Amino acid sequence: MPRKIIIDTDPGIDDAMAIYFALRSPELDVIGLTTVFGNVTTELATTNALRLLEIAGRSDIPVARGADDPVALPFGGPVPVVHGEDGQGDVFLPPPTTHAIDQSAAQFIIEQIMTQPGEVTLVPIGPLTNIALALRLEPRIAQHVREVVIMGGNALGPGNATPSAEANIHNDPEAADVVFGAPWQVTMVGLDVTNNVIMSAAHLAEYGQIDHPMARHIARITPYYLEFYRKRHGMDGICVHDSSAIAYLIAPSLFTVKAWPLRVDAGEGIGRGKTWPALGEVDRPSLAPWRARPRVNVCVGVQSDKVVELELARMRG
Ligand code: BDR
Ligand code: CA
């Protein structure tokens, strides 16, 4: 039986790659996309989710629109320098012919989990706002979800939105601290591994050789992302952040995982959005904020070549 997943997404170039990687993997059954601000506004994220499914010929998959703003503060704004004004490398796709469903992202998540207990895995690859809102509306989803596999955070290394914080967590640290603290199994596929999962320009050129609509779309949008990595990081390749969460679901043995209690800095200082694991014992008084917190599975190592090859194979196959 394929594993049922809901992808919570802000598409986003690497989000599009992750969604298509999942759609082309027989181990996974994508039962819905829920949308959130981040790389783009929630409105554009919703439009892009619908467009991506239309390109894939999978408009049977429902799209539920999520929150427009983080739980505590207003959204700081999209990042066109990374993903384009349209979030899809400035290819400016035609409007979708389909529509989002009437339920909000949080309502959809709750309904799916509560009607299929133990079966649904949440895969947030954007800020964690919708997931925190769903928990607030129906805390029992924590008992009934199968797992939550998140692309976001940085346990041991630096951030990318700021020197402290990774972009998805930085966009809504208050929501992230709620999600990492709920009594459910969370796995964090963060920058500690995704910074090492690099598709080279040569890998990306392969998409242009593959003859189906999903690969053709990826071939159209990734040059913009590659240009960003060349200019900003001097790299001849891109980090495939969001796809790494999909790879974890399909092939967890490619990842090394540590189980640590984790807190998110939700203060307003320079550390805002940093994910802090407690690496040792938590019985010292100074570690009280980590005590009574569940252990999060934090990915700290990855066989990156195999992850890249897995994604390319799925797109070719
Ligand atoms: C995350 O931020 C976004 O720009 C990407 O889509 C990914 O989800 C990486 O930090
Ligand atoms: Ca994303």
Side-chain angles (χ1 to χ4, degrees):
M1 277 282 280
R3 182 168 179 171
K4 292 179 185 174
I5 65 168
I6 297 173
I7 303 179
D8 188 73
T9 175
D10 58 337
I13 293 172
D14 63 323
D15 297 73
M17 297 175 79
I19 292 165
Y20 286 172
F21 181 17
L23 289 179
R24 291 186 61 83
S25 292
E27 299 89 345
L28 301 176
D29 175 12
V30 181
I31 62 168
L33 299 182
T34 52
T35 62
V36 67
F37 60 86
N39 296 324
V40 289
T41 62
T42 303
E43 182 169 3
L44 185 49
T46 308
T47 303
N48 283 347
L50 293 165
R51 286 165 161 155
L52 288 169
L53 291 176
E54 227 172 327
I55 290 169
R58 291 302 311 273
S59 297
D60 56 301
I61 296 173
V63 173
R65 179 182 167 135
D68 288 308
D69 286 296
V71 294
L73 297 173
F75 173 38
V79 281
V81 65
V82 188
H83 297 273
E85 293 291 340
D86 66 349
Q88 293 291 289
D90 282 349
V91 298
F92 298 108
L93 294 163
T97 60
T98 52
H99 299 280
I101 60 173
D102 281 340
Q103 279 177 314
S104 71
Q107 288 167 335
F108 176 79
I109 286 168
I110 292 166
E111 186 187 89
Q112 294 300 313
I113 293 174
M114 295 306 284
T115 57
Q116 303 165 86
E119 289 186 25
V120 178
T121 296
L122 297 178
V123 189
I125 55 174
L128 293 168
T129 315
N130 293 328
I131 317 302
L133 290 176
L135 270 172
R136 187 191 285 172
L137 282 171
E138 179 46 278
R140 290 178 303 161
I141 62 171
Q143 277 91 62
H144 295 299
V145 80
R146 178 163 166 189
E147 191 180 355
V148 185
V149 176
I150 292 169
M151 189 283 128
N154 53 307
L156 303 175
N160 57 3
T162 72
S164 314
E166 183 279 329
N168 289 339
I169 306 301
H170 188 252
N171 262 320
D172 197 343
E174 283 83 1
D177 199 45
V178 167
V179 172
F180 287 120
W184 54 8
Q185 182 57 66
V186 176
T187 297
M188 178 176 126
V189 186
L191 298 181
D192 304 290
V193 288
T194 66
N195 272 342
N196 297 323
V197 182
I198 295 166
M199 268 197 197
S200 66
H203 288 132
L204 290 172
E206 271 204 48
Y207 282 94
Q209 312 298 316
I210 308 172
D211 187 26
H212 63 72
M214 291 184 246
R216 279 199 291 274
H217 182 67
I218 300 303
R220 278 183 81 194
I221 65 176
T222 42
Y224 191 100
Y225 204 42
L226 178 60
E227 203 45 37
F228 167 78
Y229 274 91
R230 281 181 171 148
K231 282 196 193 133
R232 174 73 63 91
H233 300 292
M235 284 165 56
D236 197 32
I238 63 167
C239 294
V240 277
H241 298 293
D242 290 341
S243 293
S244 302
I246 304 298
Y248 176 83
L249 289 167
I250 300 169
S253 63
L254 299 181
F255 294 79
T256 307
V257 173
K258 301 275 187 189
W260 292 315
L262 196 131
R263 294 303 309 254
V264 181
D265 185 339
E268 287 175 21
I270 57 172
R272 184 168 171 78
K274 162 75 180 142
T275 48
W276 286 112
L279 306 182
E281 293 307 313
V282 291
D283 50 3
R284 278 180 287 146
S286 59
L287 289 173
W290 283 264
R291 211 172 299 141
R293 295 274 293 194
R295 286 176 182 267
V296 171
N297 281 336
V298 179
C299 293
V300 294
V302 61
Q303 297 182 50
S304 43
D305 292 351
K306 290 188 177 164
V307 168
V308 168
E309 184 43 47
L310 178 64
E311 179 163 2
L312 282 170
R314 290 299 157 85
M315 295 307 291
R316 281 188 217 112

PDB file of all heavy atoms in Angstrom, residues 10 12-15 39 79 82-83 125-126 151-152 160 166-168 191 194 225 241-242, ligand 1:
ATOM      1  N   ASP A  10       4.801  25.880  -0.515  1.00  0.00           N
ATOM      2  CA  ASP A  10       4.817  27.276  -0.973  1.00  0.00           C
ATOM      3  C   ASP A  10       5.512  27.349  -2.343  1.00  0.00           C
ATOM      4  O   ASP A  10       6.560  27.954  -2.478  1.00  0.00           O
ATOM      5  CB  ASP A  10       5.546  28.163   0.063  1.00  0.00           C
ATOM      6  CG  ASP A  10       6.980  27.728   0.343  1.00  0.00           C
ATOM      7  OD1 ASP A  10       7.322  26.542   0.121  1.00  0.00           O
ATOM      8  OD2 ASP A  10       7.788  28.573   0.770  1.00  0.00           O
ATOM      9  N   GLY A  12       7.305  28.094  -5.496  1.00  0.00           N
ATOM     10  CA  GLY A  12       8.581  27.508  -5.174  1.00  0.00           C
ATOM     11  C   GLY A  12       9.093  26.496  -6.182  1.00  0.00           C
ATOM     12  O   GLY A  12       8.386  25.585  -6.554  1.00  0.00           O
ATOM     13  N   ILE A  13      10.372  26.740  -6.642  1.00  0.00           N
ATOM     14  CA  ILE A  13      10.989  25.866  -7.636  1.00  0.00           C
ATOM     15  C   ILE A  13      11.304  24.503  -7.034  1.00  0.00           C
ATOM     16  O   ILE A  13      10.943  23.461  -7.613  1.00  0.00           O
ATOM     17  CB  ILE A  13      12.249  26.542  -8.244  1.00  0.00           C
ATOM     18  CG1 ILE A  13      11.817  27.767  -9.069  1.00  0.00           C
ATOM     19  CG2 ILE A  13      13.042  25.558  -9.101  1.00  0.00           C
ATOM     20  CD1 ILE A  13      12.943  28.652  -9.570  1.00  0.00           C
ATOM     21  N   ASP A  14      11.967  24.486  -5.872  1.00  0.00           N
ATOM     22  CA  ASP A  14      12.296  23.160  -5.316  1.00  0.00           C
ATOM     23  C   ASP A  14      11.050  22.472  -4.776  1.00  0.00           C
ATOM     24  O   ASP A  14      11.000  21.236  -4.706  1.00  0.00           O
ATOM     25  CB  ASP A  14      13.414  23.232  -4.264  1.00  0.00           C
ATOM     26  CG  ASP A  14      13.063  24.030  -3.037  1.00  0.00           C
ATOM     27  OD1 ASP A  14      12.371  25.053  -3.157  1.00  0.00           O
ATOM     28  OD2 ASP A  14      13.498  23.630  -1.936  1.00  0.00           O
ATOM     29  N   ASP A  15      10.002  23.242  -4.454  1.00  0.00           N
ATOM     30  CA  ASP A  15       8.718  22.620  -4.095  1.00  0.00           C
ATOM     31  C   ASP A  15       8.147  21.867  -5.296  1.00  0.00           C
ATOM     32  O   ASP A  15       7.635  20.739  -5.154  1.00  0.00           O
ATOM     33  CB  ASP A  15       7.692  23.682  -3.668  1.00  0.00           C
ATOM     34  CG  ASP A  15       8.099  24.439  -2.418  1.00  0.00           C
ATOM     35  OD1 ASP A  15       9.017  25.279  -2.515  1.00  0.00           O
ATOM     36  OD2 ASP A  15       7.509  24.186  -1.355  1.00  0.00           O
ATOM     37  N   ASN A  39       7.878  31.232  -0.188  1.00  0.00           N
ATOM     38  CA  ASN A  39       8.552  31.649  -1.419  1.00  0.00           C
ATOM     39  C   ASN A  39       7.712  32.669  -2.180  1.00  0.00           C
ATOM     40  O   ASN A  39       8.241  33.497  -2.923  1.00  0.00           O
ATOM     41  CB  ASN A  39       8.810  30.442  -2.317  1.00  0.00           C
ATOM     42  CG  ASN A  39       9.768  29.451  -1.685  1.00  0.00           C
ATOM     43  OD1 ASN A  39      10.712  29.852  -0.996  1.00  0.00           O
ATOM     44  ND2 ASN A  39       9.526  28.165  -1.891  1.00  0.00           N
ATOM     45  N   VAL A  79      10.258  35.815  -1.875  1.00  0.00           N
ATOM     46  CA  VAL A  79      11.683  35.918  -2.221  1.00  0.00           C
ATOM     47  C   VAL A  79      11.879  35.723  -3.734  1.00  0.00           C
ATOM     48  O   VAL A  79      12.395  34.701  -4.177  1.00  0.00           O
ATOM     49  CB  VAL A  79      12.548  34.910  -1.424  1.00  0.00           C
ATOM     50  CG1 VAL A  79      12.808  35.396  -0.028  1.00  0.00           C
ATOM     51  CG2 VAL A  79      11.920  33.521  -1.381  1.00  0.00           C
ATOM     52  N   VAL A  82      15.086  34.292  -5.448  1.00  0.00           N
ATOM     53  CA  VAL A  82      15.396  32.854  -5.449  1.00  0.00           C
ATOM     54  C   VAL A  82      14.478  32.095  -6.410  1.00  0.00           C
ATOM     55  O   VAL A  82      14.942  31.239  -7.173  1.00  0.00           O
ATOM     56  CB  VAL A  82      15.244  32.239  -4.028  1.00  0.00           C
ATOM     57  CG1 VAL A  82      15.757  30.796  -4.010  1.00  0.00           C
ATOM     58  CG2 VAL A  82      15.976  33.073  -2.987  1.00  0.00           C
ATOM     59  N   HIS A  83      13.177  32.419  -6.390  1.00  0.00           N
ATOM     60  CA  HIS A  83      12.195  31.584  -7.111  1.00  0.00           C
ATOM     61  C   HIS A  83      11.480  32.312  -8.247  1.00  0.00           C
ATOM     62  O   HIS A  83      10.675  31.705  -8.955  1.00  0.00           O
ATOM     63  CB  HIS A  83      11.155  31.047  -6.114  1.00  0.00           C
ATOM     64  CG  HIS A  83      11.742  30.150  -5.078  1.00  0.00           C
ATOM     65  ND1 HIS A  83      11.904  28.798  -5.256  1.00  0.00           N
ATOM     66  CD2 HIS A  83      12.259  30.432  -3.852  1.00  0.00           C
ATOM     67  CE1 HIS A  83      12.467  28.268  -4.177  1.00  0.00           C
ATOM     68  NE2 HIS A  83      12.695  29.240  -3.311  1.00  0.00           N
ATOM     69  N   ILE A 125       6.721  21.455   3.503  1.00  0.00           N
ATOM     70  CA  ILE A 125       7.962  21.913   2.858  1.00  0.00           C
ATOM     71  C   ILE A 125       7.939  23.438   2.716  1.00  0.00           C
ATOM     72  O   ILE A 125       8.570  24.010   1.833  1.00  0.00           O
ATOM     73  CB  ILE A 125       8.205  21.194   1.496  1.00  0.00           C
ATOM     74  CG1 ILE A 125       7.011  21.349   0.537  1.00  0.00           C
ATOM     75  CG2 ILE A 125       8.521  19.720   1.742  1.00  0.00           C
ATOM     76  CD1 ILE A 125       7.293  20.763  -0.877  1.00  0.00           C
ATOM     77  N   GLY A 126       7.178  24.064   3.598  1.00  0.00           N
ATOM     78  CA  GLY A 126       7.129  25.525   3.710  1.00  0.00           C
ATOM     79  C   GLY A 126       7.027  25.872   5.184  1.00  0.00           C
ATOM     80  O   GLY A 126       7.195  24.992   6.050  1.00  0.00           O
ATOM     81  N   MET A 151      10.632  19.561   5.808  1.00  0.00           N
ATOM     82  CA  MET A 151      11.848  20.200   5.311  1.00  0.00           C
ATOM     83  C   MET A 151      11.917  21.554   5.993  1.00  0.00           C
ATOM     84  O   MET A 151      11.066  22.436   5.756  1.00  0.00           O
ATOM     85  CB  MET A 151      11.828  20.414   3.783  1.00  0.00           C
ATOM     86  CG  MET A 151      13.193  20.877   3.235  1.00  0.00           C
ATOM     87  SD  MET A 151      13.580  22.609   3.532  1.00  0.00           S
ATOM     88  CE  MET A 151      15.194  22.482   4.272  1.00  0.00           C
ATOM     89  N   GLY A 152      12.930  21.713   6.817  1.00  0.00           N
ATOM     90  CA  GLY A 152      13.115  22.988   7.494  1.00  0.00           C
ATOM     91  C   GLY A 152      14.058  22.832   8.657  1.00  0.00           C
ATOM     92  O   GLY A 152      14.318  21.727   9.114  1.00  0.00           O
ATOM     93  N   ASN A 160      19.962  29.809   6.363  1.00  0.00           N
ATOM     94  CA  ASN A 160      20.070  30.406   5.030  1.00  0.00           C
ATOM     95  C   ASN A 160      19.265  31.708   4.897  1.00  0.00           C
ATOM     96  O   ASN A 160      19.644  32.597   4.152  1.00  0.00           O
ATOM     97  CB  ASN A 160      19.680  29.399   3.927  1.00  0.00           C
ATOM     98  CG  ASN A 160      18.277  28.834   4.091  1.00  0.00           C
ATOM     99  OD1 ASN A 160      17.541  29.203   4.989  1.00  0.00           O
ATOM    100  ND2 ASN A 160      17.899  27.928   3.205  1.00  0.00           N
ATOM    101  N   GLU A 166      16.938  28.888   9.179  1.00  0.00           N
ATOM    102  CA  GLU A 166      16.492  28.380   7.863  1.00  0.00           C
ATOM    103  C   GLU A 166      15.179  29.076   7.485  1.00  0.00           C
ATOM    104  O   GLU A 166      14.361  29.402   8.356  1.00  0.00           O
ATOM    105  CB  GLU A 166      16.319  26.855   7.988  1.00  0.00           C
ATOM    106  CG  GLU A 166      15.942  26.143   6.718  1.00  0.00           C
ATOM    107  CD  GLU A 166      14.471  26.219   6.384  1.00  0.00           C
ATOM    108  OE1 GLU A 166      13.648  26.274   7.327  1.00  0.00           O
ATOM    109  OE2 GLU A 166      14.127  26.253   5.187  1.00  0.00           O
ATOM    110  N   ALA A 167      14.939  29.246   6.179  1.00  0.00           N
ATOM    111  CA  ALA A 167      13.840  30.102   5.705  1.00  0.00           C
ATOM    112  C   ALA A 167      12.457  29.648   6.176  1.00  0.00           C
ATOM    113  O   ALA A 167      11.656  30.476   6.624  1.00  0.00           O
ATOM    114  CB  ALA A 167      13.872  30.167   4.175  1.00  0.00           C
ATOM    115  N   ASN A 168      12.141  28.363   6.076  1.00  0.00           N
ATOM    116  CA  ASN A 168      10.786  27.929   6.436  1.00  0.00           C
ATOM    117  C   ASN A 168      10.499  28.184   7.913  1.00  0.00           C
ATOM    118  O   ASN A 168       9.403  28.609   8.283  1.00  0.00           O
ATOM    119  CB  ASN A 168      10.589  26.438   6.131  1.00  0.00           C
ATOM    120  CG  ASN A 168      10.526  26.173   4.639  1.00  0.00           C
ATOM    121  OD1 ASN A 168      10.247  27.077   3.852  1.00  0.00           O
ATOM    122  ND2 ASN A 168      10.795  24.934   4.240  1.00  0.00           N
ATOM    123  N   LEU A 191      18.632  21.849   6.870  1.00  0.00           N
ATOM    124  CA  LEU A 191      19.827  22.242   6.116  1.00  0.00           C
ATOM    125  C   LEU A 191      21.038  21.377   6.451  1.00  0.00           C
ATOM    126  O   LEU A 191      21.973  21.286   5.645  1.00  0.00           O
ATOM    127  CB  LEU A 191      20.179  23.703   6.400  1.00  0.00           C
ATOM    128  CG  LEU A 191      19.143  24.760   6.013  1.00  0.00           C
ATOM    129  CD1 LEU A 191      19.692  26.151   6.343  1.00  0.00           C
ATOM    130  CD2 LEU A 191      18.788  24.678   4.534  1.00  0.00           C
ATOM    131  N   THR A 194      20.183  18.944   3.725  1.00  0.00           N
ATOM    132  CA  THR A 194      19.788  19.398   2.378  1.00  0.00           C
ATOM    133  C   THR A 194      20.842  20.286   1.726  1.00  0.00           C
ATOM    134  O   THR A 194      20.912  20.355   0.494  1.00  0.00           O
ATOM    135  CB  THR A 194      18.420  20.131   2.388  1.00  0.00           C
ATOM    136  OG1 THR A 194      18.524  21.354   3.114  1.00  0.00           O
ATOM    137  CG2 THR A 194      17.338  19.262   3.002  1.00  0.00           C
ATOM    138  N   TYR A 225      16.725  29.113 -10.790  1.00  0.00           N
ATOM    139  CA  TYR A 225      17.239  28.700  -9.468  1.00  0.00           C
ATOM    140  C   TYR A 225      18.758  28.484  -9.541  1.00  0.00           C
ATOM    141  O   TYR A 225      19.498  28.881  -8.645  1.00  0.00           O
ATOM    142  CB  TYR A 225      16.514  27.403  -9.115  1.00  0.00           C
ATOM    143  CG  TYR A 225      16.406  27.030  -7.655  1.00  0.00           C
ATOM    144  CD1 TYR A 225      16.114  27.948  -6.659  1.00  0.00           C
ATOM    145  CD2 TYR A 225      16.548  25.687  -7.274  1.00  0.00           C
ATOM    146  CE1 TYR A 225      15.978  27.557  -5.333  1.00  0.00           C
ATOM    147  CE2 TYR A 225      16.408  25.289  -5.954  1.00  0.00           C
ATOM    148  CZ  TYR A 225      16.123  26.236  -4.990  1.00  0.00           C
ATOM    149  OH  TYR A 225      15.984  25.831  -3.685  1.00  0.00           O
ATOM    150  N   HIS A 241      16.395  21.129  -1.589  1.00  0.00           N
ATOM    151  CA  HIS A 241      15.929  21.066  -0.202  1.00  0.00           C
ATOM    152  C   HIS A 241      14.659  20.222  -0.071  1.00  0.00           C
ATOM    153  O   HIS A 241      14.621  19.244   0.667  1.00  0.00           O
ATOM    154  CB  HIS A 241      15.642  22.475   0.322  1.00  0.00           C
ATOM    155  CG  HIS A 241      16.820  23.374   0.370  1.00  0.00           C
ATOM    156  ND1 HIS A 241      17.869  23.166   1.227  1.00  0.00           N
ATOM    157  CD2 HIS A 241      17.125  24.497  -0.323  1.00  0.00           C
ATOM    158  CE1 HIS A 241      18.769  24.130   1.080  1.00  0.00           C
ATOM    159  NE2 HIS A 241      18.346  24.946   0.137  1.00  0.00           N
ATOM    160  N   ASP A 242      13.597  20.664  -0.756  1.00  0.00           N
ATOM    161  CA  ASP A 242      12.283  20.057  -0.502  1.00  0.00           C
ATOM    162  C   ASP A 242      12.220  18.604  -0.951  1.00  0.00           C
ATOM    163  O   ASP A 242      11.582  17.764  -0.293  1.00  0.00           O
ATOM    164  CB  ASP A 242      11.181  20.885  -1.173  1.00  0.00           C
ATOM    165  CG  ASP A 242      10.977  22.229  -0.476  1.00  0.00           C
ATOM    166  OD1 ASP A 242      11.398  22.352   0.692  1.00  0.00           O
ATOM    167  OD2 ASP A 242      10.411  23.135  -1.099  1.00  0.00           O
TER     168      ASP A 242
HETATM  169  C1  BDR B   1      13.340  26.118   2.018  1.00  0.00           C
HETATM  170  O1  BDR B   1      13.033  27.483   1.753  1.00  0.00           O
HETATM  171  C2  BDR B   1      12.406  27.618   0.510  1.00  0.00           C
HETATM  172  O2  BDR B   1      13.000  28.649  -0.222  1.00  0.00           O
HETATM  173  C3  BDR B   1      12.539  26.309  -0.194  1.00  0.00           C
HETATM  174  O3  BDR B   1      11.408  26.053  -1.005  1.00  0.00           O
HETATM  175  C4  BDR B   1      12.676  25.299   0.908  1.00  0.00           C
HETATM  176  O4  BDR B   1      11.415  24.853   1.345  1.00  0.00           O
HETATM  177  C5  BDR B   1      14.829  25.936   2.090  1.00  0.00           C
HETATM  178  O5  BDR B   1      15.357  26.680   3.149  1.00  0.00           O
END
